[in-house]
Amino acid sequence: MNDRHFDNIKDLPSTHLLGVGTALCAGCGGLQALREVCDVLGEKTVIVNAAGCMTLLSVYPFTPFHGSWLYTSMASAPAGAQGVRDALDILIDKGRIGPEEDLNVVVLTGDGSAYGMGLSATSAAVERGLDFLYLCYDNEGYANTGHQTSAATPHGAKTATSTGVHGFRGYKKDLFEIWAAHRPVYAATVIGSEPVDLARKVEHAAGLKGPRFILALAPCPVGWEFAPDKTVEIGRLAVDTGIWPLREYVDGRIRHTKVPHPRAPVEEYLRLQGRFAHLFEPEHDDGTIQEIQDAVDDYWDEFD
Amino acid sequence: SQGLLYGMEMIYAVPGWRAPFVLVNVSRGIASPVTLEPDHNDVLAARDSGFLQIHCATCQEVLDNILIAYRLAEDPAVRLPVIVNMDGFYLSFTREPVEVPAVEDVDGFLPPFDPESIRFRANAPESQGVVVLGGTPYSYFRYETHLAALKAGEVFDQVCAEFGARFGRHYAPVACHRTEDAEVVFVMMGSFSTKAQDAVDRLREAGWKVGLVRPRLLRPFPDVALRAALEGKKAVAVIDQNLSIGLGGILYAEIASALYQLGRDAPILASFVAGLGGRDIAAEEFFEIAAVCRDAAATGKPPKPRLLFTAEEMKEVRKYQTIAETEARMIKGTPS
């Protein structure tokens, strides 16, 4: 790839490759991350999309992409990516198209597919060593169908299907660790509100060959219940509270690219979101809030 | 197979991409109960997907029709995927002599494919498979796919004519065996139709005017060819190796729709379901079907649909049930 270094906000690309005016919600944290990713990856990209919120980006006859796009289905985007990658490789190998026609193959998926029904196809693609970048926007629920619980829903959150007094009783699946266990060439967590960290990781991933994973926490105004202008603030708090560790997997090792110190109490993050309102009103649910804090503390204790 | 059902979401998605390719399906009965042997409920679940379907009866036919299917799929007027169907075990796990054409001859028959717009290139970015909202564009693209599938009927004839000229083996959308002067005709798909063919020959020896019609092309549905083959017959027995639960034989319903246009001249139509999960169909059963049809033609009353199952088979199932009950009692009776 290019020899670009992203040290501060001024280094970020000034040309934006994702068009505006799509059907997505105001303040979408997934769109924020995707926009930043597209700017770094450039135009020579084909996005293979799994069913999710982002399906509505390209609605006939419009598309916001400067590159290419293929909608597949909820469970089979990695298989679609394999087909596109193989076709390009074979055509280039046979000399039927020039290497300048090559494309970065990118899977775009939400957490519903990435943590759930798409996981088998994803695992198989990584096992085959597919040369692709896998981007998941994780809004912690089936957001475009009314925010039902997904395998990425965090402990204590209220969703359309977890309506009890303590919210969702399970714990968020650690998809980053699941990917790391596959020994991909690269895996990283990002968030749109940390654009320099995101750009650095995407740039690094774009220069590698093989299975690469970018997992973006995607604050969702509709599903998480906050005003669209709070997306960045909530994203920053996700990092500052330690709830969303920014990390990367390189050469078999996991390291943090930002260590929040001291960590803000999780309550600051939870209070801003309607999906956690039941933890504060009508009564303060000390137990559940403590469980969330303990899980964060336990995670960071390993590294402190 | 179960695998075809597992892929069903994409089986329905890719025809709309107008992506031409060939999928060879090895037919098996589908769960429940679980089985390993063939019938056609799996491939018929893909019937309305937009894949064209060619059903084969022999291994030679499978090979030849894979080549034909590529030409058909890639034709600019068609551009749809094609399923070539072969029966599990009977064709997939058995061997029979097959004439394999030379590579150069196949290359002559199958020119390089121009993908036109079905491709991704850096210099020509494009969004494909995108959402449409509102029923109007959806209807438009669905109708386009349907019209292309109908067009594939003509293209199939042309492609088969060229195949026959090059390779000496001739295929039609509907294969007919001794139907010209037949009064009673069996209609069957797939390899089990060779059993019907054998029964036809034996009935002919006994002086019965019987024939066999085998739809090779199921989608597009060759209704004109089927009417031509069945018009003027006294009775038609559709033997379905599938079962639409709550309806009956699927091919029976389709043949009925084709024959309805003949009005009062339509032959007596009878439905038989047989061969599910690889159940054999004995020659005697074909004889019985022919007799039922002959009698129905004489009285002018169509017989009730029949699910083939013999007294001997019922005895066998009762035996299994007795064993299962005895086992269950023994387990219950055993002190823990």
Side-chain angles (χ1 to χ4, degrees), chain A residues 258-298:
Chain A
K258 187 168 183 178
V259 179
H261 189 78
R263 289 191 299 279
V266 295
E267 217 175 304
E268 288 184 22
Y269 173 74
L270 305 176
R271 266 191 189 283
L272 293 177
Q273 303 172 47
R275 63 174 173 160
F276 294 113
H278 57 285
L279 302 183
F280 302 98
E281 294 289 336
E283 282 170 22
H284 204 271
D285 184 350
D286 294 323
T288 304
I289 295 170
Q290 196 56 50
E291 282 164 6
I292 296 168
Q293 186 66 61
D294 287 348
V296 171
D297 293 344
D298 283 351

Coordinates of all heavy atoms in Angstrom, one line a residue, chain A residues 258-298:
Chain A
K258 N -4.5 1.8 23.0 CA -4.8 2.9 23.9 C -5.2 2.3 25.2 O -6.2 1.5 25.2 CB -5.9 3.8 23.3 CG -6.2 5.0 24.1 CD -7.1 6.0 23.3 CE -7.2 7.3 24.1 NZ -8.0 8.3 23.5
V259 N -4.6 2.7 26.2 CA -4.9 2.1 27.6 C -5.5 3.3 28.4 O -4.8 4.2 28.7 CB -3.7 1.5 28.3 CG1 -4.1 1.0 29.7 CG2 -3.1 0.4 27.5
P260 N -6.8 3.2 28.7 CA -7.4 4.3 29.4 C -6.9 4.3 30.9 O -7.0 3.3 31.5 CB -8.9 4.0 29.3 CG -9.0 2.5 29.1 CD -7.7 2.1 28.3
H261 N -6.4 5.4 31.3 CA -5.8 5.4 32.6 C -5.9 6.9 33.2 O -5.3 7.8 32.6 CB -4.4 4.9 32.6 CG -3.8 4.7 34.0 ND1 -4.1 3.6 34.7 CD2 -3.0 5.5 34.8 CE1 -3.5 3.7 35.9 NE2 -2.8 4.8 35.9
P262 N -6.6 7.1 34.3 CA -7.4 6.1 35.0 C -8.7 5.9 34.2 O -9.1 6.7 33.4 CB -7.7 6.8 36.3 CG -7.7 8.3 36.0 CD -6.6 8.4 34.9
R263 N -9.3 4.7 34.4 CA -10.6 4.5 33.7 C -11.7 5.2 34.3 O -11.8 5.2 35.5 CB -10.9 3.0 33.7 CG -10.0 2.1 32.8 CD -10.5 0.7 32.7 NE -10.6 0.0 34.0 CZ -9.6 -0.6 34.6 NH1 -8.4 -0.5 34.1 NH2 -9.8 -1.2 35.7
A264 N -12.6 5.8 33.4 CA -13.8 6.4 34.0 C -14.7 5.3 34.4 O -14.7 4.2 33.9 CB -14.4 7.2 32.8
P265 N -15.5 5.6 35.5 CA -16.5 4.6 35.9 C -17.5 4.3 34.8 O -17.9 5.2 34.0 CB -17.2 5.2 37.1 CG -16.7 6.6 37.3 CD -15.6 6.8 36.2
V266 N -17.9 3.0 34.6 CA -18.8 2.6 33.6 C -20.1 3.3 33.6 O -20.8 3.5 32.6 CB -19.1 1.1 33.6 CG1 -17.8 0.3 33.3 CG2 -19.7 0.6 34.9
E267 N -20.5 3.8 34.8 CA -21.8 4.5 35.0 C -21.8 5.7 34.0 O -22.9 6.0 33.5 CB -21.9 4.9 36.4 CG -23.3 4.8 36.9 CD -23.4 5.1 38.4 OE1 -22.8 4.5 39.2 OE2 -24.2 6.0 38.7
E268 N -20.7 6.4 33.8 CA -20.7 7.5 32.9 C -21.2 7.2 31.5 O -21.9 8.0 30.8 CB -19.3 8.2 32.9 CG -18.9 8.9 34.2 CD -17.6 9.6 34.1 OE1 -17.2 9.9 32.9 OE2 -17.0 9.7 35.1
Y269 N -20.8 6.0 31.1 CA -21.1 5.5 29.7 C -22.6 5.0 29.7 O -23.3 5.4 28.8 CB -20.2 4.4 29.4 CG -20.5 3.6 28.1 CD1 -20.2 4.1 26.9 CD2 -21.0 2.3 28.2 CE1 -20.5 3.4 25.7 CE2 -21.2 1.5 27.1 CZ -21.0 2.1 25.8 OH -21.2 1.3 24.7
L270 N -23.0 4.3 30.8 CA -24.3 3.7 30.8 C -25.4 4.8 30.9 O -26.4 4.7 30.3 CB -24.4 2.8 32.0 CG -23.4 1.6 32.1 CD1 -23.6 0.8 33.4 CD2 -23.5 0.7 30.9
R271 N -25.1 5.8 31.7 CA -26.2 6.8 32.0 C -26.7 7.6 30.8 O -27.8 8.1 30.7 CB -25.6 7.9 32.9 CG -25.9 7.6 34.4 CD -25.5 8.8 35.3 NE -25.6 8.5 36.7 CZ -26.7 8.4 37.3 NH1 -27.9 8.6 36.7 NH2 -26.7 8.0 38.6
L272 N -25.8 7.7 29.7 CA -26.2 8.4 28.5 C -27.1 7.7 27.6 O -27.5 8.2 26.6 CB -24.9 8.8 27.8 CG -24.0 9.8 28.4 CD1 -22.7 10.0 27.6 CD2 -24.7 11.1 28.7
Q273 N -27.3 6.4 27.9 CA -28.1 5.5 27.0 C -29.4 5.0 27.6 O -29.4 4.4 28.6 CB -27.2 4.3 26.6 CG -25.9 4.7 26.0 CD -25.0 3.5 25.8 OE1 -25.4 2.5 25.3 NE2 -23.7 3.7 26.2
G274 N -30.4 5.2 26.8 CA -31.8 4.8 27.2 C -31.8 3.3 27.5 O -32.6 2.8 28.3
R275 N -31.0 2.5 26.8 CA -31.0 1.0 26.9 C -30.6 0.6 28.3 O -30.8 -0.6 28.7 CB -30.2 0.3 25.8 CG -28.7 0.6 25.8 CD -28.0 -0.2 24.8 NE -26.6 0.2 24.7 CZ -25.6 -0.6 24.3 NH1 -25.9 -1.8 23.8 NH2 -24.4 -0.1 24.2
F276 N -29.9 1.5 29.0 CA -29.5 1.2 30.4 C -30.3 2.0 31.4 O -29.9 1.9 32.6 CB -28.0 1.5 30.6 CG -27.1 0.6 29.7 CD1 -26.3 1.1 28.7 CD2 -27.0 -0.8 30.0 CE1 -25.5 0.2 27.9 CE2 -26.2 -1.6 29.3 CZ -25.4 -1.1 28.2
A277 N -31.3 2.7 31.0 CA -32.0 3.6 31.9 C -32.6 2.8 33.1 O -32.7 3.4 34.2 CB -33.1 4.4 31.2
H278 N -33.0 1.6 32.8 CA -33.6 0.8 33.9 C -32.6 0.5 35.0 O -33.0 0.0 36.1 CB -34.2 -0.5 33.3 CG -33.1 -1.3 32.6 ND1 -32.6 -1.0 31.4 CD2 -32.4 -2.4 33.0 CE1 -31.7 -1.9 31.0 NE2 -31.5 -2.7 32.0
L279 N -31.3 0.7 34.8 CA -30.4 0.5 35.8 C -30.3 1.7 36.8 O -29.7 1.6 37.9 CB -29.0 0.3 35.2 CG -28.8 -0.9 34.3 CD1 -27.4 -1.0 33.8 CD2 -29.3 -2.2 34.9
F280 N -31.0 2.8 36.4 CA -30.9 4.0 37.2 C -32.3 4.4 37.8 O -32.4 5.1 38.8 CB -30.3 5.1 36.4 CG -28.9 4.8 35.9 CD1 -28.7 4.3 34.6 CD2 -27.8 4.9 36.8 CE1 -27.4 4.0 34.2 CE2 -26.5 4.5 36.4 CZ -26.3 4.1 35.1
E281 N -33.3 4.1 37.0 CA -34.7 4.5 37.4 C -35.6 3.3 37.3 O -35.4 2.5 36.3 CB -35.2 5.6 36.4 CG -34.5 6.9 36.4 CD -34.8 7.7 37.7 OE1 -35.9 7.5 38.3 OE2 -34.0 8.5 38.0
P282 N -36.6 3.1 38.1 CA -36.9 4.0 39.3 C -35.9 3.8 40.4 O -35.8 4.6 41.3 CB -38.3 3.5 39.6 CG -38.4 2.1 39.2 CD -37.5 2.0 38.0
E283 N -35.2 2.6 40.4 CA -34.2 2.4 41.5 C -32.8 2.2 40.9 O -32.7 1.6 39.8 CB -34.6 1.2 42.3 CG -35.7 1.4 43.2 CD -36.3 0.2 43.9 OE1 -35.6 -0.9 43.9 OE2 -37.5 0.2 44.3
H284 N -31.8 2.5 41.6 CA -30.5 2.3 41.2 C -30.1 0.8 41.3 O -30.2 0.3 42.4 CB -29.6 3.1 42.1 CG -28.2 3.5 41.4 ND1 -27.1 2.7 41.6 CD2 -27.9 4.5 40.7 CE1 -26.1 3.2 40.9 NE2 -26.5 4.3 40.3
D285 N -29.9 0.1 40.2 CA -29.6 -1.3 40.2 C -28.1 -1.5 40.4 O -27.3 -1.8 39.5 CB -30.1 -1.9 38.9 CG -29.9 -3.4 38.8 OD1 -29.3 -4.0 39.7 OD2 -30.4 -4.0 37.9
D286 N -27.7 -1.3 41.7 CA -26.3 -1.4 42.0 C -25.7 -2.7 41.6 O -24.5 -2.8 41.1 CB -26.1 -1.3 43.6 CG -26.5 0.1 44.1 OD1 -26.3 1.1 43.4 OD2 -27.1 0.1 45.2
G287 N -26.5 -3.8 41.8 CA -25.9 -5.1 41.4 C -25.5 -5.3 40.0 O -24.3 -5.6 39.7
T288 N -26.4 -4.9 39.1 CA -26.1 -5.0 37.7 C -24.9 -4.1 37.2 O -24.0 -4.5 36.5 CB -27.3 -4.8 36.8 OG1 -28.3 -5.7 37.2 CG2 -27.0 -5.0 35.3
I289 N -25.0 -2.9 37.7 CA -24.0 -1.9 37.4 C -22.6 -2.4 37.9 O -21.6 -2.3 37.2 CB -24.3 -0.5 38.0 CG1 -25.5 0.1 37.3 CG2 -23.1 0.5 37.8 CD1 -26.1 1.3 38.0
Q290 N -22.6 -3.0 39.1 CA -21.3 -3.5 39.6 C -20.9 -4.7 38.8 O -19.6 -4.8 38.6 CB -21.5 -3.9 41.1 CG -20.2 -4.2 41.9 CD -19.3 -2.9 41.8 OE1 -19.8 -1.8 42.1 NE2 -18.1 -3.1 41.4
E291 N -21.8 -5.5 38.3 CA -21.4 -6.6 37.5 C -20.7 -6.1 36.2 O -19.7 -6.7 35.7 CB -22.6 -7.5 37.1 CG -23.1 -8.4 38.2 CD -24.6 -8.9 38.0 OE1 -25.1 -8.7 36.9 OE2 -25.1 -9.6 38.9
I292 N -21.3 -5.1 35.6 CA -20.7 -4.5 34.4 C -19.3 -4.0 34.7 O -18.3 -4.2 34.0 CB -21.6 -3.4 33.8 CG1 -22.9 -4.1 33.4 CG2 -20.9 -2.7 32.6 CD1 -24.0 -3.1 33.0
Q293 N -19.2 -3.2 35.8 CA -17.9 -2.6 36.3 C -16.9 -3.8 36.5 O -15.7 -3.7 36.1 CB -18.1 -1.8 37.5 CG -16.8 -1.0 37.9 CD -16.4 0.0 36.9 OE1 -17.1 1.0 36.6 NE2 -15.2 -0.1 36.3
D294 N -17.3 -4.8 37.2 CA -16.4 -5.9 37.5 C -15.9 -6.6 36.3 O -14.7 -7.0 36.2 CB -17.1 -7.0 38.4 CG -17.4 -6.5 39.8 OD1 -16.8 -5.4 40.2 OD2 -18.2 -7.1 40.6
A295 N -16.8 -6.8 35.3 CA -16.3 -7.4 34.1 C -15.2 -6.6 33.4 O -14.2 -7.1 32.9 CB -17.5 -7.7 33.1
V296 N -15.4 -5.3 33.4 CA -14.4 -4.4 32.8 C -13.1 -4.4 33.6 O -12.0 -4.6 33.1 CB -14.9 -2.9 32.7 CG1 -13.8 -2.0 32.3 CG2 -16.1 -2.9 31.8
D297 N -13.2 -4.4 34.9 CA -12.0 -4.4 35.8 C -11.3 -5.7 35.7 O -10.0 -5.7 35.6 CB -12.4 -4.1 37.3 CG -13.0 -2.7 37.5 OD1 -12.7 -1.9 36.6 OD2 -13.6 -2.5 38.5
D298 N -12.0 -6.8 35.6 CA -11.4 -8.1 35.5 C -10.6 -8.2 34.2 O -9.5 -8.7 34.1 CB -12.5 -9.2 35.4 CG -13.0 -9.5 36.8 OD1 -12.4 -9.0 37.8 OD2 -14.0 -10.3 36.9

